[in-house]
Amino acid sequence: MKKKDFISLLDYTSEELHSLIDLADQIKANPKEYSNSLSGKILGMIFQKNSTRTRISFQAGIYQLGGTGFFFGANDLQLSRGETIYDTANVLSRYMDGIMIRTFAYSDVQELAKHATIPVINGLTDYNHPCQVMADIMTIREKLGKNTKGMKLTYVGDSNNMTLSLIYMCANFKMNMTVVSPMKYQLKEREDVKKIALKIYPDMKLDFVEDAASGVKGSNVIYTDTWTSMGQEKEREQRLKDLNGYMVDSKMMKLADKNAIFMHCLPAHRGEEVATEVIDGHQSVVFDEAENRMHAQKAIMYHLMRD
Ligand code: CP
Ligand code: NVA
């Protein structure tokens, strides 16, 4: 049987993604039933960028399924001294049962997946963050109900890897989405992305706007992320200036649906992309969202790594 990977939502059908989230719900509700399901399996975890949630939720998750995780930091592997991805993929495939990688270029993840004979999971690239949005949709279903069709998610701030993955997540779960960013910080490839999203969900309303007040109106979910993603540290001062006015604060939350929830993949910067009163307020679900990383990823590992 051909091995499977989890590196982009676009490799999965809506039905498959729904089944994965149903499985994540089941694993969360009955963790003991799954405690030996990946007994003896090893997940290699390659991190070329920092991480709190991804690293710990994968390591705890594989352990809870009966397996174990091996962590490799940015300078640990010969990869950092020029060994090729091809050789790394082939060698790791001889020792382990799955690889999770967090890195810069999505093309590196694709290459790893192409040459590894074991499943590869994308733990974030500059382009996308598919594991995060699986936890996000799981959280949305828990808080607002499983019938997500027609719900509106508004993403506010810097359009980045999260924005792209959220668009494809919304399309697959029949949600509408508005991206509120200053034009300079909108996704460059938004026209192509829109075409792909509408193929998945032809009735999807997907808008890219600059004005926060109109964009947020009537939203069921308000989502934001850091204004300075990993690798963009040199641009931080400029970004703080350019994105001034896009902080999600209580005034903005009041324009959304009265039962709206606030989400953030974390790490957060209080007083920049989100006001303290919002992230620490009653509409915020950020810690349930962080917890769900582990449940959603247990479902992904179970799906990919089971014999
Ligand atoms: N949300 C997320 O991926 O967090 P980490 O960078 O801490 O893994
Ligand atoms: N956009 C952020 C997400 C962190 C989880 C980054 O890439 O740094």
Side-chain angles (χ1 to χ4, degrees):
M1 209 173 70
K2 198 179 170 303
K3 64 102 181 189
K4 295 170 281 191
D5 304 299
F6 190 82
I7 64 171
S8 163
L9 294 193
L10 297 179
D11 299 334
Y12 284 75
T13 65
S14 295
E15 289 70 30
E16 288 170 332
L17 294 174
H18 278 80
S19 301
L20 270 176
I21 298 301
D22 288 341
L23 176 63
D25 290 342
Q26 253 184 55
I27 295 176
K28 183 175 180 177
N30 312 292
K32 288 210 176 80
E33 277 179 31
Y34 294 85
S35 61
N36 290 313
S37 56
L38 293 183
S39 175
K41 301 272 187 190
I42 300 171
L43 178 76
M45 309 190 308
I46 305 174
F47 280 89
Q48 297 184 328
K49 292 178 174 178
N50 295 70
S51 172
T52 295
R53 280 143 291 273
T54 306
R55 174 178 180 175
I56 300 170
S57 58
F58 266 107
Q59 188 135 20
I62 186 73
Y63 180 75
Q64 290 181 13
L65 294 173
T68 191
F70 289 180
F71 172 81
F72 309 110
N75 297 314
D76 288 337
L77 301 178
Q78 295 286 13
L79 198 56
S80 62
R81 295 181 59 253
E83 187 167 20
T84 62
I85 293 176
Y86 176 83
D87 287 358
T88 306
N90 276 286
V91 171
L92 295 191
S93 296
R94 302 294 177 104
Y95 303 136
M96 300 187 298
D97 304 286
I99 308 171
M100 186 251 101
I101 179 164
R102 164 169 288 196
T103 191
F104 295 85
Y106 178 60
S107 55
D108 286 352
V109 179
Q110 287 177 302
E111 199 182 337
L112 187 71
K114 183 174 167 195
H115 299 299
T117 57
I118 56 176
V120 171
I121 302 172
N122 178 351
L124 179 144
T125 67
D126 291 347
Y127 167 74
N128 60 359
H129 197 1
C131 290
Q132 177 69 51
V133 296
M134 294 299 277
D136 295 341
I137 190 63
M138 185 179 175
T139 311
I140 291 169
R141 289 177 10 145
E142 284 176 357
K143 303 294 175 189
L144 301 176
K146 283 193 181 175
N147 185 9
T148 52
K149 187 173 178 183
M151 287 182 193
K152 177 181 175 185
L153 182 149
T154 299
Y155 178 91
V156 184
D158 174 40
S159 297
N160 58 16
N161 44 6
M162 279 311 311
T163 321
L164 183 83
S165 287
L166 284 167
I167 291 173
Y168 295 143
M169 181 275 276
C170 284
N172 277 293
F173 288 82
K174 294 188 163 43
M175 292 175 65
N176 299 314
M177 181 161 165
T178 299
V179 179
V180 177
S181 299
M183 208 36 75
K184 183 175 165 194
Y185 292 90
Q186 289 280 1
L187 291 177
K188 304 275 171 295
E189 66 276 33
R190 59 189 175 281
E191 288 314 316
D192 294 336
V193 168
K194 189 163 183 170
K195 277 191 203 131
I196 297 168
L198 288 175
K199 258 200 190 141
I200 299 168
Y201 175 35
D203 293 338
M204 184 179 189
K205 289 194 203 86
L206 174 58
D207 298 309
F208 300 91
V209 303
E210 285 198 287
D211 178 52
S214 60
V216 164
K217 216 169 160 225
S219 297
N220 305 98
V221 181
I222 306 292
Y223 202 116
T224 191
D225 183 17
T226 181
W227 290 344
T228 308
S229 285
M230 289 179 277
Q232 299 175 328
E233 288 76 10
K234 285 201 183 98
E235 300 169 22
R236 182 173 148 76
E237 290 312 313
Q238 188 62 45
R239 287 171 163 273
L240 282 176
K241 274 188 218 145
D242 292 345
L243 287 149
N244 184 21
Y246 285 83
M247 178 168 72
V248 177
D249 57 13
S250 51
K251 203 171 133 212
M252 201 188 281
M253 288 302 293
K254 284 204 180 79
L255 301 172
D257 184 85
K258 66 176 189 334
N259 297 318
I261 54 173
F262 171 77
M263 302 184 77
H264 192 311
C265 58
L266 306 179
H269 309 79
R270 287 167 174 76
E272 293 181 19
E273 75 273 9
V274 60
T276 302
E277 81 247 13
V278 171
I279 192 166
D280 297 327
H282 69 283
Q283 288 167 292
S284 174
V285 300
V286 297
F287 298 127
D288 290 330
E289 183 184 358
E291 180 189 327
N292 282 338
R293 288 294 304 277
M294 185 174 73
H295 306 298
Q297 289 158 194
K298 282 168 79 176
I300 292 167
M301 290 188 283
Y302 180 91
H303 171 68
L304 297 177
M305 292 168 64
R306 206 168 20 116
D307 289 325

